[in-house]
Amino acid sequence: MILVLVRHAAAEELSADKEDRYRELTPSGRHAFQATAEGLRALFPHSPHILTSPYTRARQTAELLVQRYETIPIESCAELAAPDLEPFLKKCQSKSGIVFAIGHEPVLGVWLHDLTGKSRRFDKGSAAAVELGSDGSGRLLFYADSDSFSKLNNRAFPFDLFAELLMLRDRMLRGNCGEDSIHDLRVTMRQLKIMLYGIKPLLPHEDQIAVLSGLNGLFAYTDKVRDYDVLMDFIRHADEPFPELLQFINGLREERLSALLAAIGEERVTVSFLDLFRLLESVDSKSCRAAIKTRFISLINKTRKHIEQINMNDELTLHRLRIYCKKLYYSGNLFPFTAKICGRNVLEQSKSLKDMLGSHHDFFAGRLLLENSMNSQSTDMQDQSRRVLAQLLKKQQQKDELEKQIRKFKKSLQR
């Protein structure tokens, strides 16, 4: 379970005319909390359980959160107005998934310390997400105030790509799973990984490894779907029509898509995204430029070394060259100042070469998919697959232009 502790938004000052429990949110408090509500909705697309202190200001804060979701009941929880953590955790035992708990200081700060060992004083309208273990222990996933959520909502660096990733995840969970959505999701994740590569020296090593592991795992699911999309496109434009084979491959693609959607909705992916949010929130953007420059120079040197050892008959070395080209090209797009380090020509050639290597890889991946699926095919369909395989192999073996482009790129790197 992921527990999200939320302090209520700014409320009226305490006065003799009104009991503390009945104090209401101020107009400015409501306005400021919109950033938190919008950010939490982006981070947690699934409808959460919402528990709130019975105090008016907490209840009104919960109502602002609910507006960001479809109809969700708000559950009053007296334990959120009391200091003891254990009764509240018992209340949560029947819940699963995501639980929002709207409460007060100093209780939330004490609970966060009891759960995670981390000390934080909750500002009004701020939130902290805690991953709860079965033993009641917790791990702090992030703490963020309204300013941090505003940066996320406004897509300010370094949150711009992360915000795009959250939007694409939400789009796919709502059923928009066409080729364009898969493509956009892959591009955004790839750019995020490039950005993390660039600012790696600024981030805690273990946390970065965990986040990249989560992104790579999700990316692997998209790989499978995309490979089927490319294979289906090739079959559609083959020398002869293969409607039965096309329908069969589409069925396999739908299975992979279902697995991708299940993965996107899993709690472990949500946890990985929240870890990423915490990492980005900790980055000092002023320090990024120097770190990115150093990493980019290292990337150029690694690419030079690898291209000297390239073997046109080794798919693995060609695939690695493709990865280096992607890193160079996306780095140039994300961080325009890197063009001055290697020259615009190198970046343009890295794009051309990555596209050619990508097509070469697609033919190779398509062959593997067809070969691995033939045992599940009828005799007639196996014959169709063999004819498609022959066309794929012919395309894959046309390496003259690819070899020429590699030599051209190698010369550019040596200047």
Side-chain angles (χ1 to χ4, degrees), residues 298-393:
S298 173
L299 175 60
I300 291 174
N301 290 333
K302 288 179 180 178
T303 307
R304 283 178 180 143
K305 183 177 179 181
H306 181 75
I307 207 168
E308 290 291 340
Q309 304 167 352
I310 202 72
N311 181 349
M312 293 299 297
N313 296 314
D314 185 345
E315 294 298 333
L316 183 58
T317 60
L318 290 173
H319 180 63
R320 285 177 178 167
L321 178 59
R322 177 180 171 224
I323 292 174
Y324 282 127
C325 289
K326 283 182 177 180
K327 286 183 175 180
L328 284 172
Y329 172 67
Y330 283 115
S331 294
N333 274 356
L334 289 173
F335 315 114
F337 67 88
T338 57
K340 296 179 181 179
I341 299 173
C342 64
R344 176 56 60 183
N345 184 48
V346 168
L347 295 179
E348 290 174 354
Q349 288 192 32
S350 68
K351 181 185 185 306
S352 299
L353 184 53
K354 86 170 179 65
D355 290 344
M356 292 184 70
L357 287 166
S359 295
H360 178 79
H361 171 78
D362 289 342
F363 299 139
F364 177 72
R367 283 177 54 209
L368 290 180
L369 288 179
L370 271 182
E371 289 169 355
N372 292 337
S373 68
M374 287 182 69
N375 290 335
S376 304
Q377 298 176 11
S378 65
T379 303
D380 288 345
M381 199 177 296
Q382 286 179 355
D383 181 60
Q384 293 179 30
S385 291
R386 291 189 187 96
R387 298 207 295 275
V388 173
L389 281 169
Q391 295 180 43
L392 283 169
L393 182 60

